[in-house]
Amino acid sequence: MTNFEETKKQFILPEGMIYLDGNSLGPMPKNAPDKIHSVLTDEWSKMLINGWNDAAWMFQPEQLGNKISRIIGAENDCVVVGETLSVRVYQALSCALRETRKRKIILTDSGNFPSDLYMAQGLIELLKNQFELRICEPDKIHENLNSEIAVLMLTDVDYRTGRKHNIAKTNKKAKDQGIITIWDLAHSAGALDLKLRDWDIDYAVGCTYKYLNAGPGSPAFIYVNPKRIDQVKPSLMGWLGHQSPFDFSLNYTPGKGINRMKIGTPPVLANAALAASLRIWDMVNMTDVRLKSIELSERFIGGLKNTCPTLKLASPTDAKKRGSQVSFYFENGYPAMQAIIESGVIGDFRSPNIMRFGITPLYILEKDIDLAVDIISNVLNKKLWDKPKYKKRKFVT
Ligand SMILES: *Cc1c(COP(=O)(O)O)cnc(C)c1O
């Protein structure tokens, strides 16, 4: 059993703050400064260039990837870390498009994150519009899966409402029709009990600064199904994905297995923070996390239902269809969220009218949920948000 009192102690959380925004940026692990400091003082400053060999910096992408594998229920040696999520989406999709023959449609849904859609649009333009991006409603995916579809590219959990797909079922339906599948796990990795080993997904990507708590701008990851990695032709052919980068050959030969998905130089300092956060994940069982997340979410929804009738649940009421966030529609959501934040509960806002709260069992306990419910209902019931200072929009909402 995961001890959540113990995991909570592994994070720095400002006194008096209830942090319900770990779906957007996780808090700092207590061991992160020491870990980063040691990379600076014991490795970079002393070893300089030798750090690539002596501190094994060059092998971070696959070593950290193997730790993420466990969290997403994947085999060893099928995940590498590096770059940002937007780049990983582009990488996965461009590899997938190289595999297609006659089919020309990329199917996605309107619940996908804009960056994923923009990456697809840019790639399609580059390929002289021979492919089409078809965007349907999330609940219409199944009826749109047919023999015309080349690639199914979806984000598992909707960033606004927390509505979750059924990866196992949808992926199987797509694969049965010969469709290549790409899943974005941005709001799933570290939140849900994923079973990539069992699902026969082709490509998956995700970031590490949300539920995985590796810090602002921490690197992304990409998974490729180990059954087919040897047939995958890289499209972002960086030197570190080459079979033997230090031969400096003028021509590209893909590296062995997942190594071919590496692109450029690993972000060593950012990887230090990721290594620090992954040490906490060693204490954690994902089945426990999912159960606890559902328990806490139900408590939060139930509490606000009783005390705050003005809030309308934007997330699915059925916990099985929800990721690990709870969202509400509220017309004055922006000022309300600013007032709630000033009262010590941190959530965020997504246009036009969604208030989001991330539920993260690693550092949120029942008593935090109960206190958050009290604070939120106090702000809303007394209309404490109705002040000009809360209405001015910041750049990041
Ligand atoms: C957070 C998120 C991103 C962000 O991509 P970055 O390149 O890390 O900025 C992309 N896609 C989805 C689905 C996300 O949730």
Side-chain angles (χ1 to χ4, degrees):
M1 268 303 273
T2 309
N3 183 339
F4 291 111
E5 301 267 351
E6 212 39 57
T7 56
K8 185 175 170 109
K9 287 186 198 144
Q10 310 299 317
F11 293 93
I12 304 272
L13 293 157
E15 193 65 40
M17 178 194 283
I18 300 170
Y19 192 68
L20 302 183
D21 216 352
N23 53 314
S24 200
L25 177 70
M28 189 175 79
K30 256 182 203 156
N31 63 348
D34 278 354
K35 179 74 188 142
I36 294 169
H37 193 251
S38 118
V39 172
L40 293 173
T41 55
D42 304 333
E43 299 181 4
W44 183 16
S45 65
K46 295 201 178 99
M47 298 177 186
L48 289 96
I49 192 79
N50 291 324
W52 293 113
N53 285 318
D54 296 352
W57 291 341
M58 217 36 129
F59 303 110
Q60 286 175 346
E62 57 269 39
Q63 285 169 356
L64 296 167
N66 277 339
K67 292 202 125 192
I68 290 173
S69 286
R70 187 188 68 82
I71 299 170
I72 61 174
E75 306 84 331
N76 260 334
D77 302 325
C78 55
V79 174
V80 285
V81 163
E83 328 302 331
T84 69
L85 179 51
S86 303
V87 173
R88 292 303 188 184
V89 168
Y90 194 91
Q91 183 182 31
L93 183 59
S94 54
C95 284
L97 294 183
R98 289 187 70 158
E99 296 176 51
T100 60
R101 297 211 177 95
K102 295 215 177 77
R103 302 183 184 196
K104 297 293 177 201
I105 296 165
I106 302 160
L107 182 66
T108 188
D109 70 22
S110 54
N112 209 339
F113 189 75
S115 199
D116 298 40
L117 302 177
Y118 303 159
M119 283 302 188
Q121 287 161 10
L123 188 51
I124 288 169
E125 284 179 27
L126 180 72
L127 298 172
K128 310 245 184 287
N129 297 309
Q130 51 170 315
F131 292 95
E132 172 198 328
L133 184 65
R134 185 170 291 172
I135 306 176
C136 68
E137 291 306 304
D139 60 355
K140 298 282 187 295
I141 286 290
H142 280 228
E143 61 199 70
N144 275 283
L145 292 172
N146 59 52
S147 58
E148 280 183 331
I149 309 295
V151 179
L152 175 67
M153 181 184 87
L154 290 175
T155 293
D156 180 24
V157 175
D158 186 304
Y159 68 103
R160 289 161 303 193
T161 62
R163 188 264 316 125
K164 186 173 85 57
H165 280 291
N166 182 334
I167 300 190
K169 201 167 151 201
T170 303
N171 193 73
K172 177 161 192 322
K173 186 143 195 224
K175 297 291 294 177
D176 285 348
Q177 307 209 39
I179 298 168
I180 302 168
T181 57
I182 302 174
W183 289 92
D184 189 329
L185 305 177
H187 292 272
S188 311
L192 305 177
D193 194 7
L194 302 170
K195 300 264 185 272
L196 266 71
R197 199 184 288 107
D198 304 334
W199 290 342
D200 203 29
I201 285 173
D202 293 315
Y203 299 88
V205 294
C207 55
T208 61
Y209 51 81
K210 291 172 182 164
Y211 291 91
L212 294 178
N213 314 311
S218 62
F221 66 85
I222 185 164
Y223 158 96
V224 182
N225 192 321
K227 287 202 293 260
R228 49 209 312 276
I229 182 67
D230 290 322
Q231 281 91 59
V232 168
K233 287 204 184 94
S235 48
L236 297 177
M237 303 197 291
W239 70 302
L240 290 180
H242 191 279
Q243 188 183 48
S244 39
F246 287 87
D247 285 354
F248 296 102
S249 162
L250 296 186
N251 294 306
Y252 183 87
T253 313
K256 198 164 166 285
I258 193 69
N259 282 303
R260 70 189 59 191
M261 303 314 270
K262 295 185 199 170
I263 304 173
T265 303
V268 174
L269 297 179
N271 281 345
L274 174 58
S277 78
L278 289 173
R279 260 197 234 155
I280 303 176
W281 285 100
D282 288 342
M283 306 164 58
V284 173
N285 171 294
M286 289 314 300
T287 310
D288 297 342
V289 171
R290 178 60 172 157
L291 287 175
K292 196 71 184 176
S293 151
I294 290 177
E295 212 178 291
L296 295 173
S297 303
E298 295 285 292
R299 194 178 181 99
F300 187 61
I301 293 170
L304 286 174
K305 194 174 172 184
N306 290 335
T307 54
C308 263
T310 39
L311 287 180
K312 184 172 176 295
L313 188 64
S315 302
T317 38
D318 179 356
K320 288 195 294 297
K321 297 186 175 157
R322 224 170 34 225
S324 202
Q325 72 180 62
V326 174
S327 304
F328 296 96
Y329 296 116
F330 183 57
E331 203 190 317
N332 294 291
Y334 187 79
M337 188 54 91
Q338 304 320 301
I340 290 167
I341 291 170
E342 208 170 276
S343 311
V345 176
I346 315 295
D348 62 19
F349 172 79
R350 284 297 173 261
S351 195
N353 59 352
I354 288 186
M355 298 166 73
R356 298 196 301 182
F357 300 94
I359 308 294
T360 49
L362 264 61
Y363 48 88
I364 297 294
L365 306 172
E366 276 89 355
K367 60 175 192 226
D368 301 316
I369 292 289
D370 294 346
L371 194 52
V373 167
D374 287 348
I375 291 172
I376 294 166
S377 44
N378 187 50
V379 168
L380 292 175
N381 294 337
K382 293 194 184 140
K383 286 201 174 165
L384 300 180
W385 51 265
D386 196 6
K387 292 182 186 148
K389 68 168 175 174
Y390 296 134
K391 295 181 184 171
K392 200 175 163 314
R393 293 266 173 120
K394 294 179 184 152
F395 181 68
V396 176
T397 60

